[in-house]
Amino acid sequence: GAVVSQHPSWVICKSGTSVKIECRSLDFQATTMFWYRQFPKQSLMLMATSNEGSKATYEQGVEKDKFLINHASLTLSTLTVTSAHPEDSSFYICSARDGTAYEQYFGPGTRLTVT
Amino acid sequence: AQSVTQLDSHVSVSEGTPVLLRCNYSSSYSPSLFWYVQHPNKGLQLLLKYTSAATLVKGINGFEAEFKKSETSFHLTKPSAHMSDAAEYFCVVNSGGYQKVTFGTGTKLQVIP
């Protein structure tokens, strides 16, 4: 089946630094990738949608200059949290979709802790 | 427009008894519906999906769900709960190929020994 990986699985960084999270589709070409954020004991909230080779579309309330998304190839999307602050600590999950398929394949998530 | 409502934020059952997690949806089109499970500090695992084929969908680990258009429901069931079923469960709707999916708020399933 379709597999999506994320790296790193967890990261701790100091306030003010930037962190990059990678999302890869391992056995299919992901024309669209999605980035979600999940706060403790809450549901997933969509942050942005990225299509290969074009700019990401951000959801209302998500700062595009703070959460930089790059979908440079059909198998890789990256999320960079710039100038991270403790309130950015969260579980970040990516998903990928192949063409017009209804199903999204989810990565295992990245736990970010900003100290 | 689409939305999904998980009617119970928390469900507690005894091991070996049936599980029912309720989900109602709203969609302007014929939707695809999914149930995902998330164990603590883990990613999402697909349990089952409905994509306009058979209305009774069988998934992994003994779970199944029935799509009822007249009731706009897609409840998740399992005949006998196991301790390993304790997790968070999300109902998800997608109204079209290029539409974003919408997540329910989740139901935490507790299984009592």
Side-chain angles (χ1 to χ4, degrees):
Chain A
V3 179
V4 175
S5 70
Q6 279 185 244
H7 178 80
S9 56
W10 62 272
V11 58
I12 301 173
C13 72
K14 292 185 176 181
S15 187
T17 62
S18 295
V19 174
K20 180 184 285 188
I21 302 169
E22 292 185 349
C23 177
R24 294 181 184 271
S25 58
L26 299 185
D27 50 5
F28 68 100
Q29 293 186 326
T31 51
T32 305
M33 286 186 168
F34 303 86
W35 286 95
Y36 297 85
R37 183 174 181 176
Q38 185 180 32
F39 290 102
K41 301 183 180 181
Q42 295 189 26
S43 187
L44 278 71
M45 295 186 62
L46 181 65
M47 298 175 66
T49 303
S50 72
N51 293 293
E52 185 265 338
S54 61
K55 290 184 178 181
T57 302
Y58 290 81
E59 295 299 300
Q60 190 174 10
V62 178
E63 299 176 62
K64 62 180 180 181
D65 294 329
K66 180 168 186 63
F67 299 100
L68 301 179
I69 293 172
N70 184 20
H71 193 163
S73 77
L74 285 172
T75 59
L76 173 65
S77 176
T78 60
L79 167 68
T80 301
V81 183
T82 62
S83 186
H85 289 93
E87 56 265 32
D88 298 325
S89 299
S90 190
F91 195 52
Y92 292 88
I93 300 176
C94 75
S95 70
R97 185 171 64 195
D98 177 9
T100 59
Y102 285 88
E103 184 175 349
Q104 294 182 21
Y105 303 98
F106 287 86
T110 298
R111 171 76 58 193
L112 170 64
T113 301
V114 184
T115 61
Chain B
Q2 63 186 23
S3 66
V4 60
T5 302
Q6 291 184 242
L7 298 160
D8 306 295
S9 59
H10 188 271
V11 170
S12 183
V13 301
S14 297
E15 188 176 18
T17 64
V19 175
L20 170 63
L21 305 183
R22 297 183 293 167
C23 172
N24 286 94
Y25 71 91
S26 173
S27 174
S28 302
Y29 306 96
S30 296
S32 292
L33 292 155
F34 308 83
W35 275 100
Y36 289 89
V37 61
Q38 184 181 34
H39 288 91
N41 297 311
K42 299 291 186 182
L44 298 174
Q45 181 182 20
L46 179 67
L47 281 177
L48 49 80
K49 60 182 176 182
Y50 165 78
T51 55
S52 76
T55 56
L56 181 61
V57 181
K58 293 187 182 299
I60 63 172
N61 301 335
F63 284 95
E64 63 181 38
E66 186 171 7
F67 174 73
K68 292 186 177 180
K69 186 175 181 179
S70 61
E71 299 177 10
T72 62
S73 68
F74 190 59
H75 301 334
L76 181 70
T77 60
K78 182 173 180 177
S80 176
H82 191 273
M83 293 300 295
S84 61
D85 295 329
E88 188 89 21
Y89 291 79
F90 293 98
C91 182
V92 178
V93 64
N94 183 341
S95 297
Y98 289 102
Q99 290 284 337
K100 298 175 288 190
V101 299
T102 299
F103 276 79
T105 50
T107 298
K108 184 174 183 178
L109 176 64
Q110 180 184 20
V111 182
I112 302 169

Short mmCIF file of all heavy atoms in Angstrom, two decimals, chain B residues 35-90:
data_model
loop_
_atom_site.label_atom_id
_atom_site.label_comp_id
_atom_site.label_asym_id
_atom_site.label_seq_id
_atom_site.Cartn_x
_atom_site.Cartn_y
_atom_site.Cartn_z
N TRP B 35 -12.85 6.10 8.43
CA TRP B 35 -12.56 6.04 9.86
C TRP B 35 -11.06 5.77 10.03
O TRP B 35 -10.52 4.85 9.41
CB TRP B 35 -13.34 4.92 10.55
CG TRP B 35 -14.73 5.30 10.97
CD1 TRP B 35 -15.90 5.01 10.33
CD2 TRP B 35 -15.10 6.02 12.16
NE1 TRP B 35 -16.96 5.52 11.03
CE2 TRP B 35 -16.51 6.13 12.16
CE3 TRP B 35 -14.38 6.57 13.22
CZ2 TRP B 35 -17.21 6.79 13.18
CZ3 TRP B 35 -15.08 7.21 14.23
CH2 TRP B 35 -16.47 7.31 14.21
N TYR B 36 -10.45 6.61 10.88
CA TYR B 36 -9.04 6.44 11.21
C TYR B 36 -8.91 6.20 12.71
O TYR B 36 -9.71 6.72 13.50
CB TYR B 36 -8.22 7.68 10.85
CG TYR B 36 -8.03 7.90 9.37
CD1 TYR B 36 -8.95 8.64 8.63
CD2 TYR B 36 -6.91 7.39 8.71
CE1 TYR B 36 -8.76 8.85 7.26
CE2 TYR B 36 -6.72 7.61 7.35
CZ TYR B 36 -7.65 8.33 6.65
OH TYR B 36 -7.46 8.53 5.30
N VAL B 37 -7.85 5.49 13.08
CA VAL B 37 -7.54 5.30 14.50
C VAL B 37 -6.16 5.90 14.78
O VAL B 37 -5.27 5.84 13.93
CB VAL B 37 -7.57 3.80 14.89
CG1 VAL B 37 -6.56 3.00 14.10
CG2 VAL B 37 -7.33 3.63 16.38
N GLN B 38 -6.04 6.51 15.94
CA GLN B 38 -4.77 7.09 16.35
C GLN B 38 -4.46 6.64 17.77
O GLN B 38 -5.18 7.00 18.70
CB GLN B 38 -4.81 8.61 16.27
CG GLN B 38 -3.48 9.27 16.58
CD GLN B 38 -3.54 10.78 16.52
OE1 GLN B 38 -4.56 11.39 16.85
NE2 GLN B 38 -2.45 11.40 16.08
N HIS B 39 -3.38 5.89 17.92
CA HIS B 39 -2.92 5.52 19.25
C HIS B 39 -2.06 6.65 19.79
O HIS B 39 -1.53 7.46 19.02
CB HIS B 39 -2.17 4.19 19.20
CG HIS B 39 -3.09 3.03 18.97
ND1 HIS B 39 -3.40 2.56 17.72
CD2 HIS B 39 -3.77 2.24 19.83
CE1 HIS B 39 -4.23 1.53 17.82
NE2 HIS B 39 -4.48 1.32 19.09
N PRO B 40 -1.89 6.73 21.10
CA PRO B 40 -1.16 7.85 21.71
C PRO B 40 0.20 8.10 21.07
O PRO B 40 0.99 7.16 20.89
CB PRO B 40 -1.04 7.44 23.17
CG PRO B 40 -2.23 6.56 23.40
CD PRO B 40 -2.42 5.81 22.12
N ASN B 41 0.43 9.34 20.71
CA ASN B 41 1.71 9.78 20.13
C ASN B 41 2.05 9.06 18.83
O ASN B 41 3.23 8.93 18.49
CB ASN B 41 2.85 9.61 21.14
CG ASN B 41 2.64 10.48 22.36
OD1 ASN B 41 2.37 11.68 22.23
ND2 ASN B 41 2.73 9.90 23.52
N LYS B 42 1.05 8.61 18.15
CA LYS B 42 1.24 7.92 16.87
C LYS B 42 0.49 8.65 15.76
O LYS B 42 -0.35 9.51 16.03
CB LYS B 42 0.74 6.47 16.95
CG LYS B 42 1.46 5.63 17.98
CD LYS B 42 2.89 5.36 17.59
CE LYS B 42 3.56 4.40 18.57
NZ LYS B 42 4.98 4.16 18.22
N GLY B 43 0.80 8.27 14.51
CA GLY B 43 0.07 8.82 13.38
C GLY B 43 -1.27 8.16 13.20
O GLY B 43 -1.75 7.41 14.05
N LEU B 44 -1.89 8.42 12.07
CA LEU B 44 -3.22 7.90 11.78
C LEU B 44 -3.14 6.60 10.99
O LEU B 44 -2.35 6.47 10.08
CB LEU B 44 -4.01 8.91 10.96
CG LEU B 44 -4.28 10.26 11.64
CD1 LEU B 44 -4.93 11.21 10.67
CD2 LEU B 44 -5.16 10.06 12.85
N GLN B 45 -4.00 5.67 11.35
CA GLN B 45 -4.10 4.41 10.61
C GLN B 45 -5.52 4.28 10.06
O GLN B 45 -6.49 4.44 10.80
CB GLN B 45 -3.78 3.23 11.52
CG GLN B 45 -3.85 1.88 10.82
CD GLN B 45 -3.57 0.71 11.73
OE1 GLN B 45 -3.67 0.82 12.96
NE2 GLN B 45 -3.21 -0.42 11.15
N LEU B 46 -5.62 3.99 8.78
CA LEU B 46 -6.93 3.84 8.17
C LEU B 46 -7.57 2.53 8.61
O LEU B 46 -6.99 1.46 8.46
CB LEU B 46 -6.80 3.86 6.64
CG LEU B 46 -8.10 3.67 5.86
CD1 LEU B 46 -9.03 4.87 6.08
CD2 LEU B 46 -7.81 3.50 4.38
N LEU B 47 -8.79 2.64 9.16
CA LEU B 47 -9.54 1.45 9.56
C LEU B 47 -10.38 0.92 8.39
O LEU B 47 -10.41 -0.27 8.12
CB LEU B 47 -10.48 1.77 10.71
CG LEU B 47 -9.88 1.85 12.11
CD1 LEU B 47 -10.98 2.26 13.10
CD2 LEU B 47 -9.25 0.55 12.53
N LEU B 48 -11.11 1.83 7.76
CA LEU B 48 -11.96 1.45 6.64
C LEU B 48 -12.40 2.70 5.90
O LEU B 48 -12.24 3.81 6.39
CB LEU B 48 -13.19 0.66 7.14
CG LEU B 48 -13.98 1.23 8.31
CD1 LEU B 48 -14.94 2.32 7.88
CD2 LEU B 48 -14.76 0.11 9.01
N LYS B 49 -12.96 2.47 4.69
CA LYS B 49 -13.42 3.58 3.88
C LYS B 49 -14.64 3.20 3.07
O LYS B 49 -14.80 2.03 2.68
CB LYS B 49 -12.31 4.07 2.95
CG LYS B 49 -11.82 3.01 1.98
CD LYS B 49 -10.67 3.55 1.12
CE LYS B 49 -10.12 2.46 0.21
NZ LYS B 49 -8.97 2.96 -0.61
N TYR B 50 -15.49 4.16 2.83
CA TYR B 50 -16.66 4.00 1.98
C TYR B 50 -16.49 4.94 0.78
O TYR B 50 -16.29 6.14 0.95
CB TYR B 50 -17.95 4.35 2.72
CG TYR B 50 -19.11 4.54 1.78
CD1 TYR B 50 -19.77 3.43 1.24
CD2 TYR B 50 -19.54 5.81 1.41
CE1 TYR B 50 -20.82 3.61 0.36
CE2 TYR B 50 -20.59 5.98 0.53
CZ TYR B 50 -21.22 4.88 0.01
OH TYR B 50 -22.25 5.04 -0.88
N THR B 51 -16.58 4.36 -0.43
CA THR B 51 -16.43 5.18 -1.64
C THR B 51 -17.47 4.80 -2.67
O THR B 51 -17.15 4.57 -3.82
CB THR B 51 -15.02 5.03 -2.23
OG1 THR B 51 -14.77 3.63 -2.47
CG2 THR B 51 -13.97 5.58 -1.31
N SER B 52 -18.73 4.74 -2.27
CA SER B 52 -19.90 4.53 -3.12
C SER B 52 -20.06 3.11 -3.63
O SER B 52 -20.78 2.88 -4.59
CB SER B 52 -19.93 5.51 -4.29
OG SER B 52 -18.99 5.13 -5.28
N ALA B 53 -19.40 2.17 -3.02
CA ALA B 53 -19.60 0.76 -3.37
C ALA B 53 -20.59 0.18 -2.35
O ALA B 53 -21.63 0.78 -2.09
CB ALA B 53 -18.28 0.02 -3.39
N ALA B 54 -20.29 -0.94 -1.77
CA ALA B 54 -21.18 -1.55 -0.79
C ALA B 54 -21.35 -0.64 0.41
O ALA B 54 -20.40 -0.02 0.88
CB ALA B 54 -20.61 -2.90 -0.35
N THR B 55 -22.56 -0.56 0.92
CA THR B 55 -22.83 0.34 2.05
C THR B 55 -22.30 -0.20 3.37
O THR B 55 -22.07 0.56 4.29
CB THR B 55 -24.33 0.61 2.17
OG1 THR B 55 -25.02 -0.63 2.30
CG2 THR B 55 -24.85 1.36 0.95
N LEU B 56 -22.14 -1.51 3.47
CA LEU B 56 -21.55 -2.10 4.67
C LEU B 56 -20.07 -2.36 4.37
O LEU B 56 -19.74 -3.15 3.49
CB LEU B 56 -22.25 -3.39 5.05
CG LEU B 56 -21.72 -4.08 6.32
CD1 LEU B 56 -21.90 -3.17 7.53
CD2 LEU B 56 -22.44 -5.41 6.55
N VAL B 57 -19.24 -1.67 5.09
CA VAL B 57 -17.81 -1.72 4.81
C VAL B 57 -17.10 -2.44 5.95
O VAL B 57 -17.29 -2.11 7.12
CB VAL B 57 -17.23 -0.29 4.68
CG1 VAL B 57 -15.75 -0.35 4.36
CG2 VAL B 57 -17.99 0.49 3.62
N LYS B 58 -16.29 -3.40 5.58
CA LYS B 58 -15.50 -4.12 6.58
C LYS B 58 -14.07 -3.60 6.56
O LYS B 58 -13.50 -3.38 5.48
CB LYS B 58 -15.53 -5.62 6.30
CG LYS B 58 -16.92 -6.23 6.48
CD LYS B 58 -16.89 -7.74 6.36
CE LYS B 58 -18.30 -8.32 6.49
NZ LYS B 58 -18.90 -7.99 7.82
N GLY B 59 -13.52 -3.39 7.75
CA GLY B 59 -12.17 -2.87 7.83
C GLY B 59 -11.24 -3.82 8.56
O GLY B 59 -11.51 -5.00 8.72
N ILE B 60 -10.16 -3.25 9.03
CA ILE B 60 -9.18 -4.06 9.74
C ILE B 60 -9.57 -4.25 11.19
O ILE B 60 -10.40 -3.52 11.72
CB ILE B 60 -7.78 -3.41 9.65
CG1 ILE B 60 -7.77 -2.05 10.34
CG2 ILE B 60 -7.33 -3.30 8.20
CD1 ILE B 60 -6.40 -1.44 10.47
N ASN B 61 -8.97 -5.26 11.81
CA ASN B 61 -9.14 -5.51 13.25
C ASN B 61 -10.59 -5.74 13.67
O ASN B 61 -10.95 -5.47 14.80
CB ASN B 61 -8.56 -4.35 14.08
CG ASN B 61 -7.07 -4.14 13.81
OD1 ASN B 61 -6.37 -5.07 13.42
ND2 ASN B 61 -6.61 -2.94 14.01
N GLY B 62 -11.40 -6.25 12.76
CA GLY B 62 -12.77 -6.60 13.08
C GLY B 62 -13.76 -5.45 13.08
O GLY B 62 -14.93 -5.63 13.44
N PHE B 63 -13.34 -4.28 12.70
CA PHE B 63 -14.25 -3.13 12.64
C PHE B 63 -15.04 -3.12 11.34
O PHE B 63 -14.57 -3.59 10.31
CB PHE B 63 -13.46 -1.82 12.74
CG PHE B 63 -12.98 -1.50 14.13
CD1 PHE B 63 -11.69 -1.86 14.52
CD2 PHE B 63 -13.80 -0.86 15.03
CE1 PHE B 63 -11.24 -1.58 15.79
CE2 PHE B 63 -13.35 -0.56 16.31
CZ PHE B 63 -12.07 -0.92 16.69
N GLU B 64 -16.24 -2.58 11.41
CA GLU B 64 -17.03 -2.34 10.22
C GLU B 64 -17.89 -1.11 10.42
O GLU B 64 -18.10 -0.64 11.55
CB GLU B 64 -17.88 -3.56 9.85
CG GLU B 64 -18.94 -3.96 10.84
CD GLU B 64 -19.71 -5.19 10.37
OE1 GLU B 64 -19.10 -6.10 9.78
OE2 GLU B 64 -20.93 -5.22 10.59
N ALA B 65 -18.38 -0.58 9.31
CA ALA B 65 -19.23 0.61 9.36
C ALA B 65 -20.27 0.51 8.26
O ALA B 65 -20.02 -0.07 7.20
CB ALA B 65 -18.40 1.88 9.20
N GLU B 66 -21.43 1.09 8.51
CA GLU B 66 -22.51 1.07 7.53
C GLU B 66 -22.86 2.48 7.12
O GLU B 66 -23.14 3.34 7.96
CB GLU B 66 -23.74 0.37 8.08
CG GLU B 66 -24.84 0.20 7.03
CD GLU B 66 -25.98 -0.67 7.50
OE1 GLU B 66 -26.00 -1.06 8.68
OE2 GLU B 66 -26.87 -0.96 6.67
N PHE B 67 -22.83 2.72 5.81
CA PHE B 67 -23.22 4.01 5.26
C PHE B 67 -24.73 4.04 5.11
O PHE B 67 -25.31 3.23 4.39
CB PHE B 67 -22.55 4.23 3.90
CG PHE B 67 -22.99 5.47 3.18
CD1 PHE B 67 -22.57 6.71 3.61
CD2 PHE B 67 -23.82 5.38 2.07
CE1 PHE B 67 -22.97 7.87 2.95
CE2 PHE B 67 -24.23 6.53 1.40
CZ PHE B 67 -23.80 7.77 1.84
N LYS B 68 -25.39 4.97 5.80
CA LYS B 68 -26.84 5.12 5.71
C LYS B 68 -27.16 6.52 5.22
O LYS B 68 -27.13 7.49 5.99
CB LYS B 68 -27.49 4.86 7.07
CG LYS B 68 -27.38 3.42 7.54
CD LYS B 68 -28.18 3.20 8.82
CE LYS B 68 -28.14 1.73 9.25
NZ LYS B 68 -28.92 1.49 10.49
N LYS B 69 -27.48 6.60 3.94
CA LYS B 69 -27.71 7.91 3.33
C LYS B 69 -28.92 8.60 3.95
O LYS B 69 -28.90 9.82 4.18
CB LYS B 69 -27.90 7.75 1.82
CG LYS B 69 -27.99 9.05 1.08
CD LYS B 69 -28.06 8.82 -0.42
CE LYS B 69 -28.12 10.15 -1.17
NZ LYS B 69 -28.17 9.93 -2.65
N SER B 70 -29.97 7.83 4.21
CA SER B 70 -31.20 8.43 4.75
C SER B 70 -30.98 9.04 6.12
O SER B 70 -31.66 9.99 6.51
CB SER B 70 -32.31 7.38 4.82
OG SER B 70 -31.93 6.32 5.68
N GLU B 71 -30.03 8.51 6.85
CA GLU B 71 -29.74 9.01 8.19
C GLU B 71 -28.45 9.85 8.22
O GLU B 71 -28.08 10.34 9.28
CB GLU B 71 -29.60 7.84 9.17
CG GLU B 71 -30.85 6.98 9.29
CD GLU B 71 -30.68 5.78 10.20
OE1 GLU B 71 -29.63 5.70 10.90
OE2 GLU B 71 -31.57 4.92 10.21
N THR B 72 -27.82 10.00 7.09
CA THR B 72 -26.51 10.69 6.97
C THR B 72 -25.57 10.23 8.07
O THR B 72 -24.95 11.06 8.76
CB THR B 72 -26.67 12.23 6.97
OG1 THR B 72 -27.24 12.66 8.20
CG2 THR B 72 -27.51 12.69 5.81
N SER B 73 -25.47 8.92 8.21
CA SER B 73 -24.62 8.39 9.27
C SER B 73 -23.61 7.40 8.72
O SER B 73 -23.79 6.81 7.65
CB SER B 73 -25.48 7.70 10.34
OG SER B 73 -26.08 6.52 9.82
N PHE B 74 -22.56 7.21 9.50
CA PHE B 74 -21.50 6.26 9.14
C PHE B 74 -20.89 5.78 10.45
O PHE B 74 -19.75 6.05 10.76
CB PHE B 74 -20.47 6.94 8.23
CG PHE B 74 -19.46 5.99 7.62
CD1 PHE B 74 -19.86 4.93 6.82
CD2 PHE B 74 -18.10 6.19 7.81
CE1 PHE B 74 -18.94 4.07 6.24
CE2 PHE B 74 -17.16 5.33 7.23
CZ PHE B 74 -17.59 4.28 6.45
N HIS B 75 -21.68 5.06 11.22
CA HIS B 75 -21.25 4.61 12.54
C HIS B 75 -20.28 3.45 12.46
O HIS B 75 -20.44 2.54 11.64
CB HIS B 75 -22.47 4.19 13.38
CG HIS B 75 -23.48 5.29 13.57
ND1 HIS B 75 -23.16 6.63 13.53
CD2 HIS B 75 -24.82 5.22 13.82
CE1 HIS B 75 -24.24 7.35 13.73
NE2 HIS B 75 -25.26 6.53 13.90
N LEU B 76 -19.33 3.44 13.36
CA LEU B 76 -18.30 2.40 13.42
C LEU B 76 -18.66 1.40 14.51
O LEU B 76 -19.00 1.81 15.63
CB LEU B 76 -16.93 3.04 13.72
CG LEU B 76 -15.73 2.11 13.81
CD1 LEU B 76 -15.39 1.57 12.41
CD2 LEU B 76 -14.54 2.84 14.41
N THR B 77 -18.56 0.11 14.19
CA THR B 77 -18.90 -0.92 15.16
C THR B 77 -17.86 -2.02 15.19
O THR B 77 -17.10 -2.21 14.23
CB THR B 77 -20.28 -1.54 14.86
OG1 THR B 77 -20.23 -2.15 13.55
CG2 THR B 77 -21.39 -0.51 14.88
N LYS B 78 -17.86 -2.73 16.31
CA LYS B 78 -17.04 -3.92 16.45
C LYS B 78 -17.76 -4.83 17.44
O LYS B 78 -18.20 -4.36 18.49
CB LYS B 78 -15.64 -3.58 16.95
CG LYS B 78 -14.72 -4.78 17.06
CD LYS B 78 -13.30 -4.40 17.40
CE LYS B 78 -12.41 -5.64 17.50
NZ LYS B 78 -10.99 -5.31 17.77
N PRO B 79 -17.89 -6.10 17.14
CA PRO B 79 -18.69 -6.98 18.01
C PRO B 79 -18.11 -7.17 19.41
O PRO B 79 -18.87 -7.29 20.37
CB PRO B 79 -18.68 -8.32 17.24
CG PRO B 79 -18.31 -7.98 15.85
CD PRO B 79 -17.42 -6.79 15.93
N SER B 80 -16.79 -7.18 19.51
CA SER B 80 -16.17 -7.49 20.78
C SER B 80 -14.90 -6.66 20.95
O SER B 80 -13.94 -6.82 20.20
CB SER B 80 -15.82 -8.98 20.84
OG SER B 80 -15.15 -9.31 22.02
N ALA B 81 -14.90 -5.78 21.94
CA ALA B 81 -13.76 -4.89 22.16
C ALA B 81 -12.57 -5.62 22.75
O ALA B 81 -12.71 -6.52 23.60
CB ALA B 81 -14.16 -3.74 23.08
N HIS B 82 -11.40 -5.20 22.30
CA HIS B 82 -10.15 -5.73 22.82
C HIS B 82 -9.39 -4.59 23.46
O HIS B 82 -9.55 -3.43 23.08
CB HIS B 82 -9.35 -6.33 21.66
CG HIS B 82 -8.17 -7.15 22.10
ND1 HIS B 82 -6.94 -6.58 22.34
CD2 HIS B 82 -8.04 -8.46 22.34
CE1 HIS B 82 -6.10 -7.53 22.72
NE2 HIS B 82 -6.74 -8.67 22.73
N MET B 83 -8.55 -4.93 24.42
CA MET B 83 -7.79 -3.87 25.12
C MET B 83 -6.99 -3.02 24.15
O MET B 83 -6.84 -1.81 24.34
CB MET B 83 -6.85 -4.49 26.15
CG MET B 83 -7.55 -5.17 27.32
SD MET B 83 -8.59 -4.02 28.25
CE MET B 83 -7.36 -2.89 28.90
N SER B 84 -6.49 -3.64 23.09
CA SER B 84 -5.67 -2.90 22.12
C SER B 84 -6.48 -1.92 21.28
O SER B 84 -5.91 -1.14 20.52
CB SER B 84 -4.95 -3.89 21.19
OG SER B 84 -5.89 -4.65 20.49
N ASP B 85 -7.81 -1.96 21.41
CA ASP B 85 -8.65 -1.02 20.66
C ASP B 85 -8.70 0.35 21.32
O ASP B 85 -9.21 1.32 20.73
CB ASP B 85 -10.08 -1.56 20.52
CG ASP B 85 -10.16 -2.82 19.68
OD1 ASP B 85 -9.33 -2.96 18.75
OD2 ASP B 85 -11.02 -3.67 19.97
N ALA B 86 -8.21 0.47 22.53
CA ALA B 86 -8.23 1.75 23.23
C ALA B 86 -7.38 2.76 22.46
O ALA B 86 -6.18 2.56 22.27
CB ALA B 86 -7.70 1.60 24.64
N ALA B 87 -8.02 3.82 21.98
CA ALA B 87 -7.35 4.80 21.13
C ALA B 87 -8.33 5.93 20.82
O ALA B 87 -9.47 5.92 21.30
CB ALA B 87 -6.87 4.15 19.82
N GLU B 88 -7.87 6.86 19.99
CA GLU B 88 -8.74 7.94 19.49
C GLU B 88 -9.17 7.57 18.08
O GLU B 88 -8.37 7.12 17.27
CB GLU B 88 -7.95 9.25 19.46
CG GLU B 88 -8.79 10.48 19.15
CD GLU B 88 -9.38 11.12 20.39
OE1 GLU B 88 -8.86 10.88 21.50
OE2 GLU B 88 -10.38 11.85 20.26
N TYR B 89 -10.45 7.79 17.79
CA TYR B 89 -10.99 7.44 16.49
C TYR B 89 -11.56 8.68 15.81
O TYR B 89 -12.28 9.47 16.43
CB TYR B 89 -12.09 6.38 16.63
CG TYR B 89 -11.55 5.03 17.07
CD1 TYR B 89 -11.23 4.79 18.41
CD2 TYR B 89 -11.32 4.01 16.16
CE1 TYR B 89 -10.72 3.58 18.82
CE2 TYR B 89 -10.80 2.78 16.55
CZ TYR B 89 -10.50 2.58 17.89
OH TYR B 89 -9.98 1.36 18.28
N PHE B 90 -11.21 8.85 14.54
CA PHE B 90 -11.66 10.01 13.79
C PHE B 90 -12.49 9.59 12.59
O PHE B 90 -12.07 8.72 11.81
CB PHE B 90 -10.46 10.84 13.29
CG PHE B 90 -9.67 11.48 14.39
CD1 PHE B 90 -8.51 10.90 14.85
CD2 PHE B 90 -10.10 12.67 14.96
CE1 PHE B 90 -7.78 11.50 15.87
CE2 PHE B 90 -9.37 13.28 15.98
CZ PHE B 90 -8.21 12.69 16.43
#
